[in-house]
């Protein structure tokens, strides 16, 4: 608690005219105004704290959504390249075998039966990969 007469005498000697001392009622009124301002500032600061905490949670939620979207895009990109790689690797194996100077199974035959068998096996594999993806 504040000793109002002591505060009034201290305020009277601090530069105010000696013939106009501060009354205890004036000091009490002044202190009640200061108290009201402090209460208003506390209410305002608690409101700002609440607004900032909500904004922070909204910001974190937005970052989480954007991270999820970028993860989905990355997965789609990787799956497309996986399908392309799964199609091209067997074809490279087949063309690599025919590009070498080695005996190919069925190479002694004059018809293209083995060629089309191997080619149809590769195409079946490519179609299976496309359907699976």
């Amino acid at each position: 608690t504040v000793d109002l007469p002591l505060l009034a005498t201290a305020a009277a000697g601090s530069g105010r005219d000696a013939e106009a001392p501060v009354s205890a009622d004036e000091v009490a009124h002044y202190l009640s105004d200061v108290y009201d301002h402090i209460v208003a500032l506390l209410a305002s600061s608690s409101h700002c704290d609440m607004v900032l905490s909500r904004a922070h949670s909204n910001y974190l939620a937005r970052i989480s959504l954007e991270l999820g979207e970028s993860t989905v895009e990355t997965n789609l990109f990787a799956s497309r390249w996986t399908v392309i790689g799964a199609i091209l690797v067997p074809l490279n194996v087949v063309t690599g075998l025919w590009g070498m100077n080695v005996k190919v199974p069925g190479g002694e035959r004059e018809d293209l039966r083995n060629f089309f068998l191997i080619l149809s096996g590769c195409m079946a594999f490519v179609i299976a990969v496309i359907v699976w993806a």
Side-chain angles (χ1 to χ4, degrees):
T1 62
V2 177
D3 187 13
L4 293 178
L6 178 64
L7 189 59
T9 56
S14 66
R16 289 189 66 157
D17 294 335
E19 42 296 323
V22 177
S23 69
D25 290 335
E26 287 178 350
V27 172
H29 182 69
Y30 175 74
L31 289 178
S32 70
D33 283 346
V34 169
Y35 178 75
D36 289 342
H37 286 293
I38 290 173
V39 168
L41 285 173
L42 284 174
S44 176
S45 68
S46 68
H47 174 72
C48 290
D49 182 45
M50 182 181 61
V51 168
L52 285 176
S53 67
R54 286 181 184 169
H56 184 255
S57 64
N58 289 343
Y59 174 71
L60 291 178
R62 182 178 173 104
I63 287 176
S64 176
L65 288 174
E66 289 177 1
L67 182 64
E69 289 173 358
S70 67
T71 303
V72 167
E73 290 175 7
T74 303
N75 288 340
L76 287 174
F77 180 77
S79 67
R80 288 180 188 139
W81 279 105
T82 302
V83 168
I84 290 171
I87 291 171
L88 292 179
V89 167
L91 296 178
N92 282 334
V93 169
V94 170
T95 57
L97 284 176
W98 263 291
M100 291 187 219
N101 291 327
V102 295
K103 296 234 182 228
V104 177
E108 62 276 352
R109 295 180 62 143
E110 292 296 322
D111 60 351
L112 298 176
R113 181 176 149 260
N114 287 341
F115 171 76
F116 285 115
L117 281 175
I118 294 173
L119 185 65
S120 63
C122 287
M123 292 306 292
F125 180 76
V126 167
I127 290 171
V129 168
I130 290 174
V131 169
W132 179 71

